[in-house]
Amino acid sequence: MSIKVEGVTKLYGDQKALDNVSFEVKKGEVLGFLGPNGAGKSTMMKIISCFIPPSSGKVTVNGADIESDSMTVRKSVGYLPESNPLYYDMYVKEYLHFVCGLYGITKDADKRVEEMIRKTGLGREQHKQILQLSKGYKQRVGIAQALIHDPAILILDEPTSGLDPNQLQDIRALIKELGKDKTVMFSSHIMQEVEAVSDRVIIIDKGKLVTDRKVGVAENELEQCVIVEFDSEINEQLFSSLDGMLSFKNTVGTNYMITASSTEDFRKSVAKWARENDLLVLSLKHQDESLEEVFRKHTS
Ligand code: ADP
Ligand code: MG
């Protein structure tokens, strides 16, 4: 099961919440969706889960279009919304049975509910009313409802926000565990968390995708960041022909910050590419940086 997002733009009135965003999530991947508040994370997740339509662009889930084939998409996607809306006066088991009903699961409902309770570690809390649960356990109920129809893809919007450090650890471990047999996309504004849990991270800011990179890249492949200064402004479309580039940003004047994943010194690639494109390089240097630094630099 894969997700393919192509040139998605979302307008709320005249505000652009998403601006021509494209990326792919491959089967079995855990993708961290990182960005400051208001970046457009929830908007993107609502679109993929068929809750709101995009203004333009296309999203397919394993080939099924979210607009023309939304029933197929809904069957394969489980979604935990940011606010985790639950019926607080319901009991845990009662609520999960209710969600089974929404999905038309009748025959094996008891078995399904039991399985979800086991999977999300709700065993000791299963007979409680939802309002009696701690925030961490409410979050587990939210994850259990997202999983109930056994979707191949899980979309979790800020699943760890507002949790204490122990609960945080538990939910992160659960996401990792679920990622073993599901494709998971989860949003967060905590860099360390994304780095610890995901295979790949996408950073968005003000509706634009700024970085798409692997976490824990292969040993011989290095994540690199190169700062290059040209003698004049350049046509940014040229960057697409730079092999290995992950993202670029015009930092100041004619300076550009380029992130890349490459087995060799990426300065060589930039120098060669500049020569081929008749660009004059005034300076070229490496910048070592962590994901945290990338985040701070790419977002504001
Ligand atoms: P994030 O989840 O990254 O914090 P959101 O997707 O919630 O970002 O919001 C992106 C932008 O779109 C914000 O500026 C937000 O105010 C705006 N926005 C989100 N939902 C709506 C809506 N229903 N109507 C108008 N503006 C909205
Ligand atoms: Mg949000």
Side-chain angles (χ1 to χ4, degrees), residues 212-249:
D212 182 341
R213 57 189 251 166
K214 274 190 268 176
V215 175
V217 282
E219 255 174 62
N220 58 349
E221 199 166 287
L222 277 177
E223 284 283 337
Q224 302 174 43
C225 179
V226 166
I227 308 289
V228 54
E229 183 185 0
F230 299 102
D231 72 328
S232 59
E233 268 181 38
I234 68 161
N235 176 358
E236 294 188 350
Q237 275 173 359
L238 271 180
F239 280 115
S240 59
S241 62
L242 179 55
D243 267 356
M245 185 205 67
L246 297 173
S247 74
F248 68 87
K249 190 186 180 186

PDB file of all heavy atoms in Angstrom, residues 212-249:
ATOM      1  N   ASP A 212      12.588  16.299   2.051  1.00  0.00           N
ATOM      2  CA  ASP A 212      12.122  14.920   1.994  1.00  0.00           C
ATOM      3  C   ASP A 212      13.389  14.083   2.101  1.00  0.00           C
ATOM      4  O   ASP A 212      14.193  14.058   1.186  1.00  0.00           O
ATOM      5  CB  ASP A 212      11.415  14.699   0.644  1.00  0.00           C
ATOM      6  CG  ASP A 212      10.852  13.288   0.522  1.00  0.00           C
ATOM      7  OD1 ASP A 212      11.286  12.393   1.279  1.00  0.00           O
ATOM      8  OD2 ASP A 212       9.994  13.089  -0.349  1.00  0.00           O
ATOM      9  N   ARG A 213      13.610  13.479   3.264  1.00  0.00           N
ATOM     10  CA  ARG A 213      14.865  12.747   3.408  1.00  0.00           C
ATOM     11  C   ARG A 213      14.731  11.483   4.245  1.00  0.00           C
ATOM     12  O   ARG A 213      13.840  11.363   5.071  1.00  0.00           O
ATOM     13  CB  ARG A 213      15.959  13.631   3.976  1.00  0.00           C
ATOM     14  CG  ARG A 213      15.604  14.252   5.316  1.00  0.00           C
ATOM     15  CD  ARG A 213      16.638  15.273   5.691  1.00  0.00           C
ATOM     16  NE  ARG A 213      17.453  14.817   6.789  1.00  0.00           N
ATOM     17  CZ  ARG A 213      18.591  15.398   7.147  1.00  0.00           C
ATOM     18  NH1 ARG A 213      19.060  16.421   6.463  1.00  0.00           N
ATOM     19  NH2 ARG A 213      19.287  14.964   8.163  1.00  0.00           N
ATOM     20  N   LYS A 214      15.661  10.590   3.983  1.00  0.00           N
ATOM     21  CA  LYS A 214      15.682   9.333   4.727  1.00  0.00           C
ATOM     22  C   LYS A 214      16.290   9.571   6.099  1.00  0.00           C
ATOM     23  O   LYS A 214      17.159  10.417   6.262  1.00  0.00           O
ATOM     24  CB  LYS A 214      16.537   8.303   3.990  1.00  0.00           C
ATOM     25  CG  LYS A 214      15.770   7.540   2.939  1.00  0.00           C
ATOM     26  CD  LYS A 214      16.590   6.391   2.437  1.00  0.00           C
ATOM     27  CE  LYS A 214      17.399   6.801   1.224  1.00  0.00           C
ATOM     28  NZ  LYS A 214      18.298   5.781   0.730  1.00  0.00           N
ATOM     29  N   VAL A 215      15.869   8.791   7.074  1.00  0.00           N
ATOM     30  CA  VAL A 215      16.482   8.853   8.397  1.00  0.00           C
ATOM     31  C   VAL A 215      17.334   7.602   8.502  1.00  0.00           C
ATOM     32  O   VAL A 215      16.924   6.542   8.058  1.00  0.00           O
ATOM     33  CB  VAL A 215      15.399   8.851   9.499  1.00  0.00           C
ATOM     34  CG1 VAL A 215      16.028   8.800  10.874  1.00  0.00           C
ATOM     35  CG2 VAL A 215      14.508  10.067   9.356  1.00  0.00           C
ATOM     36  N   GLY A 216      18.531   7.720   9.087  1.00  0.00           N
ATOM     37  CA  GLY A 216      19.392   6.556   9.217  1.00  0.00           C
ATOM     38  C   GLY A 216      19.745   5.999   7.858  1.00  0.00           C
ATOM     39  O   GLY A 216      19.461   4.859   7.536  1.00  0.00           O
ATOM     40  N   VAL A 217      20.366   6.826   7.041  1.00  0.00           N
ATOM     41  CA  VAL A 217      20.709   6.401   5.681  1.00  0.00           C
ATOM     42  C   VAL A 217      21.773   5.302   5.702  1.00  0.00           C
ATOM     43  O   VAL A 217      22.462   5.117   6.704  1.00  0.00           O
ATOM     44  CB  VAL A 217      21.256   7.592   4.854  1.00  0.00           C
ATOM     45  CG1 VAL A 217      20.124   8.453   4.385  1.00  0.00           C
ATOM     46  CG2 VAL A 217      22.260   8.386   5.642  1.00  0.00           C
ATOM     47  N   ALA A 218      21.872   4.592   4.613  1.00  0.00           N
ATOM     48  CA  ALA A 218      22.844   3.513   4.498  1.00  0.00           C
ATOM     49  C   ALA A 218      24.237   4.044   4.832  1.00  0.00           C
ATOM     50  O   ALA A 218      24.538   5.207   4.608  1.00  0.00           O
ATOM     51  CB  ALA A 218      22.820   2.958   3.080  1.00  0.00           C
ATOM     52  N   GLU A 219      25.060   3.126   5.365  1.00  0.00           N
ATOM     53  CA  GLU A 219      26.366   3.559   5.870  1.00  0.00           C
ATOM     54  C   GLU A 219      27.208   4.331   4.874  1.00  0.00           C
ATOM     55  O   GLU A 219      27.850   5.310   5.205  1.00  0.00           O
ATOM     56  CB  GLU A 219      27.156   2.317   6.286  1.00  0.00           C
ATOM     57  CG  GLU A 219      27.215   2.142   7.788  1.00  0.00           C
ATOM     58  CD  GLU A 219      27.874   0.845   8.128  1.00  0.00           C
ATOM     59  OE1 GLU A 219      29.048   0.705   7.769  1.00  0.00           O
ATOM     60  OE2 GLU A 219      27.199  -0.009   8.732  1.00  0.00           O
ATOM     61  N   ASN A 220      27.191   3.844   3.635  1.00  0.00           N
ATOM     62  CA  ASN A 220      28.066   4.492   2.659  1.00  0.00           C
ATOM     63  C   ASN A 220      27.415   5.724   2.030  1.00  0.00           C
ATOM     64  O   ASN A 220      28.009   6.435   1.252  1.00  0.00           O
ATOM     65  CB  ASN A 220      28.482   3.498   1.567  1.00  0.00           C
ATOM     66  CG  ASN A 220      27.277   2.921   0.870  1.00  0.00           C
ATOM     67  OD1 ASN A 220      26.150   3.096   1.327  1.00  0.00           O
ATOM     68  ND2 ASN A 220      27.507   2.248  -0.238  1.00  0.00           N
ATOM     69  N   GLU A 221      26.141   5.962   2.392  1.00  0.00           N
ATOM     70  CA  GLU A 221      25.468   7.117   1.816  1.00  0.00           C
ATOM     71  C   GLU A 221      25.351   8.189   2.887  1.00  0.00           C
ATOM     72  O   GLU A 221      24.901   7.932   3.989  1.00  0.00           O
ATOM     73  CB  GLU A 221      24.087   6.701   1.317  1.00  0.00           C
ATOM     74  CG  GLU A 221      23.522   7.674   0.319  1.00  0.00           C
ATOM     75  CD  GLU A 221      22.328   7.073  -0.404  1.00  0.00           C
ATOM     76  OE1 GLU A 221      22.545   6.185  -1.245  1.00  0.00           O
ATOM     77  OE2 GLU A 221      21.218   7.514  -0.121  1.00  0.00           O
ATOM     78  N   LEU A 222      25.773   9.381   2.576  1.00  0.00           N
ATOM     79  CA  LEU A 222      25.804  10.431   3.592  1.00  0.00           C
ATOM     80  C   LEU A 222      24.797  11.524   3.309  1.00  0.00           C
ATOM     81  O   LEU A 222      24.683  12.003   2.192  1.00  0.00           O
ATOM     82  CB  LEU A 222      27.196  11.068   3.605  1.00  0.00           C
ATOM     83  CG  LEU A 222      28.271  10.342   4.408  1.00  0.00           C
ATOM     84  CD1 LEU A 222      29.597  11.081   4.241  1.00  0.00           C
ATOM     85  CD2 LEU A 222      27.880  10.272   5.875  1.00  0.00           C
ATOM     86  N   GLU A 223      24.100  11.880   4.358  1.00  0.00           N
ATOM     87  CA  GLU A 223      23.247  13.067   4.271  1.00  0.00           C
ATOM     88  C   GLU A 223      24.194  14.255   4.349  1.00  0.00           C
ATOM     89  O   GLU A 223      24.988  14.361   5.263  1.00  0.00           O
ATOM     90  CB  GLU A 223      22.311  13.112   5.483  1.00  0.00           C
ATOM     91  CG  GLU A 223      21.170  12.144   5.410  1.00  0.00           C
ATOM     92  CD  GLU A 223      20.068  12.607   4.482  1.00  0.00           C
ATOM     93  OE1 GLU A 223      19.962  13.821   4.246  1.00  0.00           O
ATOM     94  OE2 GLU A 223      19.314  11.739   3.996  1.00  0.00           O
ATOM     95  N   GLN A 224      24.110  15.130   3.391  1.00  0.00           N
ATOM     96  CA  GLN A 224      25.031  16.257   3.391  1.00  0.00           C
ATOM     97  C   GLN A 224      24.283  17.538   3.156  1.00  0.00           C
ATOM     98  O   GLN A 224      23.226  17.561   2.541  1.00  0.00           O
ATOM     99  CB  GLN A 224      26.063  16.085   2.259  1.00  0.00           C
ATOM    100  CG  GLN A 224      26.853  14.815   2.358  1.00  0.00           C
ATOM    101  CD  GLN A 224      27.754  14.627   1.155  1.00  0.00           C
ATOM    102  OE1 GLN A 224      28.408  15.568   0.691  1.00  0.00           O
ATOM    103  NE2 GLN A 224      27.770  13.435   0.628  1.00  0.00           N
ATOM    104  N   CYS A 225      24.893  18.590   3.644  1.00  0.00           N
ATOM    105  CA  CYS A 225      24.310  19.898   3.411  1.00  0.00           C
ATOM    106  C   CYS A 225      25.432  20.786   2.881  1.00  0.00           C
ATOM    107  O   CYS A 225      26.494  20.888   3.488  1.00  0.00           O
ATOM    108  CB  CYS A 225      23.748  20.437   4.719  1.00  0.00           C
ATOM    109  SG  CYS A 225      23.046  22.057   4.508  1.00  0.00           S
ATOM    110  N   VAL A 226      25.182  21.380   1.740  1.00  0.00           N
ATOM    111  CA  VAL A 226      26.210  22.175   1.083  1.00  0.00           C
ATOM    112  C   VAL A 226      25.697  23.606   0.932  1.00  0.00           C
ATOM    113  O   VAL A 226      24.537  23.822   0.575  1.00  0.00           O
ATOM    114  CB  VAL A 226      26.525  21.549  -0.302  1.00  0.00           C
ATOM    115  CG1 VAL A 226      27.315  22.488  -1.171  1.00  0.00           C
ATOM    116  CG2 VAL A 226      27.245  20.225  -0.132  1.00  0.00           C
ATOM    117  N   ILE A 227      26.574  24.559   1.248  1.00  0.00           N
ATOM    118  CA  ILE A 227      26.204  25.958   1.057  1.00  0.00           C
ATOM    119  C   ILE A 227      26.975  26.464  -0.160  1.00  0.00           C
ATOM    120  O   ILE A 227      28.201  26.367  -0.196  1.00  0.00           O
ATOM    121  CB  ILE A 227      26.618  26.820   2.278  1.00  0.00           C
ATOM    122  CG1 ILE A 227      26.106  26.211   3.588  1.00  0.00           C
ATOM    123  CG2 ILE A 227      26.143  28.264   2.111  1.00  0.00           C
ATOM    124  CD1 ILE A 227      24.627  26.297   3.785  1.00  0.00           C
ATOM    125  N   VAL A 228      26.248  26.954  -1.137  1.00  0.00           N
ATOM    126  CA  VAL A 228      26.930  27.409  -2.350  1.00  0.00           C
ATOM    127  C   VAL A 228      26.520  28.840  -2.665  1.00  0.00           C
ATOM    128  O   VAL A 228      25.370  29.235  -2.498  1.00  0.00           O
ATOM    129  CB  VAL A 228      26.645  26.442  -3.540  1.00  0.00           C
ATOM    130  CG1 VAL A 228      25.173  26.242  -3.757  1.00  0.00           C
ATOM    131  CG2 VAL A 228      27.278  26.936  -4.838  1.00  0.00           C
ATOM    132  N   GLU A 229      27.543  29.614  -3.060  1.00  0.00           N
ATOM    133  CA  GLU A 229      27.257  31.001  -3.446  1.00  0.00           C
ATOM    134  C   GLU A 229      27.574  31.175  -4.925  1.00  0.00           C
ATOM    135  O   GLU A 229      28.663  30.832  -5.379  1.00  0.00           O
ATOM    136  CB  GLU A 229      28.102  31.969  -2.604  1.00  0.00           C
ATOM    137  CG  GLU A 229      27.778  33.421  -2.909  1.00  0.00           C
ATOM    138  CD  GLU A 229      28.676  34.419  -2.174  1.00  0.00           C
ATOM    139  OE1 GLU A 229      29.562  33.979  -1.417  1.00  0.00           O
ATOM    140  OE2 GLU A 229      28.508  35.623  -2.388  1.00  0.00           O
ATOM    141  N   PHE A 230      26.591  31.652  -5.668  1.00  0.00           N
ATOM    142  CA  PHE A 230      26.810  31.922  -7.097  1.00  0.00           C
ATOM    143  C   PHE A 230      27.077  33.411  -7.286  1.00  0.00           C
ATOM    144  O   PHE A 230      26.859  34.211  -6.367  1.00  0.00           O
ATOM    145  CB  PHE A 230      25.564  31.506  -7.903  1.00  0.00           C
ATOM    146  CG  PHE A 230      25.233  30.043  -7.791  1.00  0.00           C
ATOM    147  CD1 PHE A 230      24.208  29.603  -6.953  1.00  0.00           C
ATOM    148  CD2 PHE A 230      25.948  29.091  -8.515  1.00  0.00           C
ATOM    149  CE1 PHE A 230      23.899  28.256  -6.837  1.00  0.00           C
ATOM    150  CE2 PHE A 230      25.644  27.737  -8.409  1.00  0.00           C
ATOM    151  CZ  PHE A 230      24.616  27.316  -7.563  1.00  0.00           C
ATOM    152  N   ASP A 231      27.502  33.784  -8.493  1.00  0.00           N
ATOM    153  CA  ASP A 231      27.783  35.214  -8.700  1.00  0.00           C
ATOM    154  C   ASP A 231      26.513  36.001  -9.024  1.00  0.00           C
ATOM    155  O   ASP A 231      26.513  37.221  -8.983  1.00  0.00           O
ATOM    156  CB  ASP A 231      28.841  35.410  -9.803  1.00  0.00           C
ATOM    157  CG  ASP A 231      28.278  35.102 -11.174  1.00  0.00           C
ATOM    158  OD1 ASP A 231      27.396  34.215 -11.274  1.00  0.00           O
ATOM    159  OD2 ASP A 231      28.702  35.745 -12.158  1.00  0.00           O
ATOM    160  N   SER A 232      25.432  35.276  -9.336  1.00  0.00           N
ATOM    161  CA  SER A 232      24.170  35.968  -9.580  1.00  0.00           C
ATOM    162  C   SER A 232      23.020  35.019  -9.240  1.00  0.00           C
ATOM    163  O   SER A 232      23.247  33.836  -8.988  1.00  0.00           O
ATOM    164  CB  SER A 232      24.081  36.389 -11.050  1.00  0.00           C
ATOM    165  OG  SER A 232      24.172  35.232 -11.863  1.00  0.00           O
ATOM    166  N   GLU A 233      21.816  35.554  -9.248  1.00  0.00           N
ATOM    167  CA  GLU A 233      20.657  34.702  -8.964  1.00  0.00           C
ATOM    168  C   GLU A 233      20.531  33.646 -10.054  1.00  0.00           C
ATOM    169  O   GLU A 233      20.851  33.909 -11.206  1.00  0.00           O
ATOM    170  CB  GLU A 233      19.375  35.547  -8.963  1.00  0.00           C
ATOM    171  CG  GLU A 233      19.038  36.064  -7.588  1.00  0.00           C
ATOM    172  CD  GLU A 233      17.758  36.882  -7.587  1.00  0.00           C
ATOM    173  OE1 GLU A 233      16.826  36.504  -8.320  1.00  0.00           O
ATOM    174  OE2 GLU A 233      17.738  37.895  -6.860  1.00  0.00           O
ATOM    175  N   ILE A 234      20.052  32.467  -9.672  1.00  0.00           N
ATOM    176  CA  ILE A 234      19.939  31.444 -10.717  1.00  0.00           C
ATOM    177  C   ILE A 234      18.497  30.964 -10.842  1.00  0.00           C
ATOM    178  O   ILE A 234      17.698  31.125  -9.938  1.00  0.00           O
ATOM    179  CB  ILE A 234      20.903  30.261 -10.466  1.00  0.00           C
ATOM    180  CG1 ILE A 234      20.476  29.469  -9.218  1.00  0.00           C
ATOM    181  CG2 ILE A 234      22.327  30.720 -10.332  1.00  0.00           C
ATOM    182  CD1 ILE A 234      21.092  28.107  -9.218  1.00  0.00           C
ATOM    183  N   ASN A 235      18.227  30.392 -11.979  1.00  0.00           N
ATOM    184  CA  ASN A 235      16.903  29.832 -12.236  1.00  0.00           C
ATOM    185  C   ASN A 235      16.739  28.559 -11.394  1.00  0.00           C
ATOM    186  O   ASN A 235      17.401  27.549 -11.637  1.00  0.00           O
ATOM    187  CB  ASN A 235      16.813  29.520 -13.741  1.00  0.00           C
ATOM    188  CG  ASN A 235      15.509  28.854 -14.100  1.00  0.00           C
ATOM    189  OD1 ASN A 235      14.670  28.591 -13.226  1.00  0.00           O
ATOM    190  ND2 ASN A 235      15.326  28.587 -15.377  1.00  0.00           N
ATOM    191  N   GLU A 236      15.863  28.605 -10.418  1.00  0.00           N
ATOM    192  CA  GLU A 236      15.781  27.513  -9.441  1.00  0.00           C
ATOM    193  C   GLU A 236      15.343  26.181 -10.063  1.00  0.00           C
ATOM    194  O   GLU A 236      15.595  25.127  -9.505  1.00  0.00           O
ATOM    195  CB  GLU A 236      14.856  27.914  -8.281  1.00  0.00           C
ATOM    196  CG  GLU A 236      15.450  29.069  -7.492  1.00  0.00           C
ATOM    197  CD  GLU A 236      14.700  29.402  -6.208  1.00  0.00           C
ATOM    198  OE1 GLU A 236      13.604  28.871  -6.015  1.00  0.00           O
ATOM    199  OE2 GLU A 236      15.246  30.186  -5.417  1.00  0.00           O
ATOM    200  N   GLN A 237      14.703  26.272 -11.218  1.00  0.00           N
ATOM    201  CA  GLN A 237      14.302  25.022 -11.877  1.00  0.00           C
ATOM    202  C   GLN A 237      15.497  24.154 -12.249  1.00  0.00           C
ATOM    203  O   GLN A 237      15.391  22.940 -12.378  1.00  0.00           O
ATOM    204  CB  GLN A 237      13.483  25.331 -13.129  1.00  0.00           C
ATOM    205  CG  GLN A 237      12.027  25.536 -12.763  1.00  0.00           C
ATOM    206  CD  GLN A 237      11.203  26.011 -13.930  1.00  0.00           C
ATOM    207  OE1 GLN A 237      11.717  26.212 -15.030  1.00  0.00           O
ATOM    208  NE2 GLN A 237       9.923  26.203 -13.687  1.00  0.00           N
ATOM    209  N   LEU A 238      16.654  24.817 -12.404  1.00  0.00           N
ATOM    210  CA  LEU A 238      17.864  24.080 -12.752  1.00  0.00           C
ATOM    211  C   LEU A 238      18.217  23.017 -11.705  1.00  0.00           C
ATOM    212  O   LEU A 238      18.809  22.002 -12.011  1.00  0.00           O
ATOM    213  CB  LEU A 238      19.040  25.057 -12.860  1.00  0.00           C
ATOM    214  CG  LEU A 238      19.313  25.723 -14.206  1.00  0.00           C
ATOM    215  CD1 LEU A 238      20.511  26.637 -14.067  1.00  0.00           C
ATOM    216  CD2 LEU A 238      19.574  24.665 -15.274  1.00  0.00           C
ATOM    217  N   PHE A 239      17.821  23.285 -10.441  1.00  0.00           N
ATOM    218  CA  PHE A 239      18.199  22.363  -9.372  1.00  0.00           C
ATOM    219  C   PHE A 239      17.679  20.949  -9.584  1.00  0.00           C
ATOM    220  O   PHE A 239      18.248  19.985  -9.081  1.00  0.00           O
ATOM    221  CB  PHE A 239      17.699  22.876  -8.012  1.00  0.00           C
ATOM    222  CG  PHE A 239      18.582  23.944  -7.423  1.00  0.00           C
ATOM    223  CD1 PHE A 239      18.112  25.236  -7.246  1.00  0.00           C
ATOM    224  CD2 PHE A 239      19.882  23.649  -7.049  1.00  0.00           C
ATOM    225  CE1 PHE A 239      18.921  26.226  -6.712  1.00  0.00           C
ATOM    226  CE2 PHE A 239      20.705  24.631  -6.503  1.00  0.00           C
ATOM    227  CZ  PHE A 239      20.216  25.924  -6.337  1.00  0.00           C
ATOM    228  N   SER A 240      16.565  20.843 -10.328  1.00  0.00           N
ATOM    229  CA  SER A 240      16.005  19.505 -10.522  1.00  0.00           C
ATOM    230  C   SER A 240      16.960  18.600 -11.300  1.00  0.00           C
ATOM    231  O   SER A 240      16.835  17.383 -11.272  1.00  0.00           O
ATOM    232  CB  SER A 240      14.647  19.591 -11.219  1.00  0.00           C
ATOM    233  OG  SER A 240      14.812  20.224 -12.459  1.00  0.00           O
ATOM    234  N   SER A 241      17.918  19.198 -11.995  1.00  0.00           N
ATOM    235  CA  SER A 241      18.854  18.351 -12.744  1.00  0.00           C
ATOM    236  C   SER A 241      20.089  17.979 -11.912  1.00  0.00           C
ATOM    237  O   SER A 241      21.014  17.351 -12.410  1.00  0.00           O
ATOM    238  CB  SER A 241      19.295  19.075 -14.028  1.00  0.00           C
ATOM    239  OG  SER A 241      19.976  20.263 -13.692  1.00  0.00           O
ATOM    240  N   LEU A 242      20.072  18.377 -10.632  1.00  0.00           N
ATOM    241  CA  LEU A 242      21.219  18.067  -9.774  1.00  0.00           C
ATOM    242  C   LEU A 242      20.988  16.722  -9.091  1.00  0.00           C
ATOM    243  O   LEU A 242      20.185  16.599  -8.164  1.00  0.00           O
ATOM    244  CB  LEU A 242      21.390  19.196  -8.743  1.00  0.00           C
ATOM    245  CG  LEU A 242      22.504  19.088  -7.710  1.00  0.00           C
ATOM    246  CD1 LEU A 242      23.860  18.876  -8.359  1.00  0.00           C
ATOM    247  CD2 LEU A 242      22.534  20.345  -6.843  1.00  0.00           C
ATOM    248  N   ASP A 243      21.702  15.698  -9.555  1.00  0.00           N
ATOM    249  CA  ASP A 243      21.516  14.332  -9.048  1.00  0.00           C
ATOM    250  C   ASP A 243      21.804  14.217  -7.548  1.00  0.00           C
ATOM    251  O   ASP A 243      22.834  14.702  -7.097  1.00  0.00           O
ATOM    252  CB  ASP A 243      22.467  13.372  -9.790  1.00  0.00           C
ATOM    253  CG  ASP A 243      21.776  12.770 -10.983  1.00  0.00           C
ATOM    254  OD1 ASP A 243      20.577  13.042 -11.153  1.00  0.00           O
ATOM    255  OD2 ASP A 243      22.450  12.046 -11.743  1.00  0.00           O
ATOM    256  N   GLY A 244      20.929  13.580  -6.821  1.00  0.00           N
ATOM    257  CA  GLY A 244      21.171  13.335  -5.393  1.00  0.00           C
ATOM    258  C   GLY A 244      20.621  14.428  -4.495  1.00  0.00           C
ATOM    259  O   GLY A 244      20.600  14.292  -3.284  1.00  0.00           O
ATOM    260  N   MET A 245      20.166  15.553  -5.098  1.00  0.00           N
ATOM    261  CA  MET A 245      19.657  16.644  -4.288  1.00  0.00           C
ATOM    262  C   MET A 245      18.335  16.273  -3.613  1.00  0.00           C
ATOM    263  O   MET A 245      17.481  15.635  -4.212  1.00  0.00           O
ATOM    264  CB  MET A 245      19.437  17.882  -5.157  1.00  0.00           C
ATOM    265  CG  MET A 245      19.020  19.079  -4.326  1.00  0.00           C
ATOM    266  SD  MET A 245      18.098  20.292  -5.272  1.00  0.00           S
ATOM    267  CE  MET A 245      16.617  19.423  -5.646  1.00  0.00           C
ATOM    268  N   LEU A 246      18.178  16.643  -2.352  1.00  0.00           N
ATOM    269  CA  LEU A 246      16.917  16.387  -1.652  1.00  0.00           C
ATOM    270  C   LEU A 246      16.104  17.678  -1.530  1.00  0.00           C
ATOM    271  O   LEU A 246      14.904  17.674  -1.650  1.00  0.00           O
ATOM    272  CB  LEU A 246      17.188  15.833  -0.255  1.00  0.00           C
ATOM    273  CG  LEU A 246      17.909  14.492  -0.170  1.00  0.00           C
ATOM    274  CD1 LEU A 246      18.258  14.169   1.272  1.00  0.00           C
ATOM    275  CD2 LEU A 246      17.059  13.386  -0.763  1.00  0.00           C
ATOM    276  N   SER A 247      16.787  18.783  -1.248  1.00  0.00           N
ATOM    277  CA  SER A 247      16.074  20.059  -1.146  1.00  0.00           C
ATOM    278  C   SER A 247      17.037  21.210  -1.362  1.00  0.00           C
ATOM    279  O   SER A 247      18.256  21.042  -1.262  1.00  0.00           O
ATOM    280  CB  SER A 247      15.433  20.201   0.235  1.00  0.00           C
ATOM    281  OG  SER A 247      16.428  20.475   1.197  1.00  0.00           O
ATOM    282  N   PHE A 248      16.484  22.350  -1.707  1.00  0.00           N
ATOM    283  CA  PHE A 248      17.339  23.533  -1.799  1.00  0.00           C
ATOM    284  C   PHE A 248      16.579  24.724  -1.252  1.00  0.00           C
ATOM    285  O   PHE A 248      15.352  24.724  -1.176  1.00  0.00           O
ATOM    286  CB  PHE A 248      17.766  23.786  -3.251  1.00  0.00           C
ATOM    287  CG  PHE A 248      16.620  24.201  -4.145  1.00  0.00           C
ATOM    288  CD1 PHE A 248      16.259  25.547  -4.246  1.00  0.00           C
ATOM    289  CD2 PHE A 248      15.905  23.262  -4.863  1.00  0.00           C
ATOM    290  CE1 PHE A 248      15.202  25.933  -5.052  1.00  0.00           C
ATOM    291  CE2 PHE A 248      14.846  23.641  -5.659  1.00  0.00           C
ATOM    292  CZ  PHE A 248      14.490  24.984  -5.770  1.00  0.00           C
ATOM    293  N   LYS A 249      17.335  25.730  -0.839  1.00  0.00           N
ATOM    294  CA  LYS A 249      16.686  26.925  -0.318  1.00  0.00           C
ATOM    295  C   LYS A 249      17.600  28.110  -0.563  1.00  0.00           C
ATOM    296  O   LYS A 249      18.809  28.026  -0.337  1.00  0.00           O
ATOM    297  CB  LYS A 249      16.439  26.759   1.182  1.00  0.00           C
ATOM    298  CG  LYS A 249      15.555  27.844   1.742  1.00  0.00           C
ATOM    299  CD  LYS A 249      15.449  27.741   3.246  1.00  0.00           C
ATOM    300  CE  LYS A 249      14.558  28.849   3.763  1.00  0.00           C
ATOM    301  NZ  LYS A 249      14.510  28.919   5.203  1.00  0.00           N
TER     302      LYS A 249
END
